[in-house]
Amino acid sequence: MVMQTLKQQIDALAAGQTTSVALVTECLAQIAAHNGQLNALVAVDAEKALAAAAAADAARAAGDTRAMLGVPLIHKDIFCHEGWKTSCGSKMLDNFIAPYSSQVAENCDAAGFVVVGRANMDEFAMGSSNENSFYGPVKNPWDKKAVPGGSSGGSAASVAAGFAAVATGTDTGGSIRQPAAFCGITGIKPTYGIVSRFGMVAYASSLDQGGPMAHTAEDCALMLNVMAGFDERDSTSLEHAKEDYTRDLNAPLSGLKIGLPREYFAEGLNAEIAGAINAAVEQYKALGATIVEISLPNTKLAIPSYYVIAPAEASSNLSRFDGVRYGHRTAKTGNLDDMYEQTRAEGFGTEVKRRIMTGAYVLSHGYYDAYYIKAQKIRRLIANDFQAAFAQCDVIMGPVTPTTAWNIGEKNADPIAVYLEDIYTLGVNLAGLPGMSVPVGFASNGHPIGLQIIGNYFAEAKMLGIAHQYQQVTDWHTKAPQL
């Protein structure tokens, strides 16, 4: 049962073919057998999970018809969940027990999910490889020498390894789509503001967005129905009418116009990835879609723009971690300034310090206009490029990353090389658009390859339907790693 999809688990529970206790027990057994190798989860509470599963079974027996009641779930360790440690992959929050729940956790609890664990992640969501965690790197279930992608690598690895059928993730510059691609699963980053950021530890507030990670597009649609919704506690939450994201799953694709950006297929793209993407596009043509060549001329400027804006926002957001109110505090004595400095020196990892310093620099007097304001102007140009493209096509398709998963430690000496892996994903966040990753094959080294689908604002249901139709005629999403 552990390698079933979310939909299969929902149907099995509704039909009385299994129980929540049985599902959770199998997930916990899978975690116990393989998490020691993968390091995908940083917290597991078997007693709490089994008690919640038993309560869910009792509620179902008493007539509770909630579809998700008793289904196992894994939360990325960035979502506050009352009573659970919420570390955000950092020593700074290693002792922090959340006193309240995020909107995402509240919604999942209300739907009846049973949380079986908390997923490892890059510290404060800063990274593309899940090597930047205080708890050590996550390993890719398809190749334990390789990274799973980041920052939601623990969530992606957990779904791929069968620890749960679905997990929550967050995406600031590709952190749902890239690990989904590297681990051979499906993941979607919704339109900015669709999923509340309340109780989601902030990295870059104008870019962060939560979303689901699962085996299939159908599962992501079901999960997004739970996660999405207006939240007055989040000033960036959109007052958007509640949607059913499953509504277009069976919509035919005849007449669909797919835009292929020439900049996404230029120098630097791995030939095997290009081949897999082209094969997927051919499959879409067979399903009735037509292809339009488009241009996103400012694609190359997404990296420098993002790596000014995101660190600037991070330097502001992370200033709250000072050792005074919560989290790590140095044991070394001294005056208040010494305490601040030593606490942050001990509590933050290398990549977080690098981004805080970069952000503080670009926001400093004399550099704000030269860097930060200019990056925001470029951000607008990138958003305009996408709108011009959507005048010609319904969705945009291309690769998620220029390469497949690299080996753990391979790029540690060159952080810029890791930043360059985000070339195809960053623009989506800068523009606030929805984007998703769908498995479309494997490279010769056995590493999964993902197709990126980008839609216009609020096009999640259409995108999920487009992905679902592809998954109805292919089986890449059904492949499972040999653990």
Side-chain angles (χ1 to χ4, degrees), residues 128-129 147-150 173-183 263-277 397-406 411 417-426 436-438 440 443 447-453:
S128 303
S129 64
V147 301
S175 292
I176 286 175
R177 291 160 289 156
Q178 189 239 35
F182 281 7
C183 291
E263 292 82 5
Y264 284 18
F265 296 88
E267 183 182 358
L269 178 62
N270 175 277
E272 290 184 306
I273 293 179
I277 300 302
M397 291 188 183
V400 179
T401 57
T403 69
T404 57
W406 58 91
K411 299 188 178 185
V418 179
Y419 298 168
L420 293 174
E421 291 287 334
D422 300 334
I423 182 68
Y424 306 128
T425 55
L426 295 178
M436 67 182 297
S437 177
V438 181
V440 293
H447 293 181
I449 296 171
L451 167 74
Q452 183 171 205
I453 303 174

Side-chain angles (χ1 to χ4, degrees), residues 20 54 65 71 107 109 119 142 151 173 199 201 206 268 273 285 291 313 325 330 337 347 350 373 399 419 436 444 479:
S20 179
T65 59
V71 174
N107 288 355
D109 287 348
W142 291 94
S151 63
V201 181
S206 74
I273 293 179
K285 288 167 68 175
I291 307 304
E313 295 184 8
R325 288 158 291 188
T330 183
D337 287 343
T350 301
I373 295 299
Y419 298 168
M436 67 182 297
S444 56
K479 307 296 185 183

